[in-house]
């Protein structure tokens, strides 16, 4: 299964290698910039130009949580390998670590001078990698909310 999101405000799962659409999700009000499956495969996260991050439950075929807190478009998202945390990167110059269980922002990462364009958790660690339009990469320890 392949997951995509695009300018049409939709995410889609595709059967591979046949290329047939298995499921489509709608709810964002602007383009999708990122999407990825929860490690368990039962949910997915999307990020959007509408400033939100959304969690989707595949069995319910719908959005179960909308995370709000960025002031500009969200450029990317990532699940932690444990499945309890989502990271988001925004054009507002911040990144956020969201606790999916409490449905709240746990940490806001500040330090880039321009848009944060991507974010990834390093596998099985508390380290996040961000890239920015300020031409820098940063490694963050999300336990202490500090750059490494």
């Amino acid at each position: 299964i392949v997951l995509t999101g695009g300018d049409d405000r939709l995410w889609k799962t595709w059967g591979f290698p046949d290329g047939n659409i298995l499921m489509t999700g709608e709810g964002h009000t602007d383009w999708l910039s990122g999407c990825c499956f929860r490690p368990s495969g039962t949910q997915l996260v999307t990020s959007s130009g509408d400033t939100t991050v959304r969690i989707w439950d595949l069995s319910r075929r719908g959005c179960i949580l909308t995370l709000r807190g960025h002031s500009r478009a969200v450029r990317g998202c990532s699940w932690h390998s444990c499945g309890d945390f989502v990271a988001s990167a925004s054009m507002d110059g911040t990144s956020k670590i969201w606790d999916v269980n409490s449905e709240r922002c746990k940490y806001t990462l500040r330090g880039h001078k321009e848009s944060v364009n991507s974010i990834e958790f390093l596998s099985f660690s508390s380290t996040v990698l961000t890239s920015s339009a300020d031409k820098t990469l940063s490694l963050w320890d999300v336990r202490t909310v500090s750059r490494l």
Side-chain angles (χ1 to χ4, degrees):
I1 295 175
V2 175
L3 175 63
T4 63
D7 289 342
D8 60 1
R9 305 174 185 172
L10 303 174
W11 59 263
K12 297 176 184 173
T13 57
W14 304 77
F16 188 77
D18 298 333
N20 51 324
I21 296 174
L22 304 174
M23 194 178 300
T24 300
E26 60 181 85
H28 281 290
T29 59
D30 209 338
W31 45 271
L32 267 66
S33 55
C35 52
C36 65
F37 287 107
R38 187 175 191 159
S40 66
T42 59
Q43 296 176 337
L44 57 96
V45 63
T46 56
S47 54
S48 172
D50 67 11
T51 74
T52 68
V53 175
R54 291 182 181 239
I55 309 292
W56 305 81
D57 188 292
L58 297 174
S59 64
R60 294 186 198 170
R61 296 181 173 253
C63 178
I64 58 169
L65 179 60
T66 301
L67 301 169
R68 292 179 174 86
H70 286 293
S71 61
R72 296 190 60 202
V74 184
R75 301 280 295 161
C77 56
S78 173
W79 281 101
H80 186 273
S81 54
C82 73
D84 293 333
F85 301 99
V86 166
S88 59
S90 174
M91 291 179 71
D92 65 13
T94 69
S95 298
K96 293 186 181 290
I97 307 299
W98 304 90
D99 182 329
V100 177
N101 297 318
S102 70
E103 303 181 359
R104 295 178 183 225
C105 177
K106 186 167 177 136
Y107 303 114
T108 299
L109 310 177
R110 292 180 174 89
H112 286 294
K113 292 179 172 73
E114 295 184 33
S115 172
V116 184
N117 295 331
S118 68
I119 191 163
E120 287 294 328
F121 280 103
L122 276 61
S123 294
F124 304 102
S125 78
S126 61
T127 304
V128 172
L129 172 67
T130 56
S131 68
S132 172
D134 65 15
K135 300 181 183 175
T136 64
L137 299 173
S138 292
L139 287 171
W140 306 82
D141 184 335
V142 297
R143 295 171 300 180
T144 60
V145 194
S146 61
R147 285 189 190 185
L148 299 175

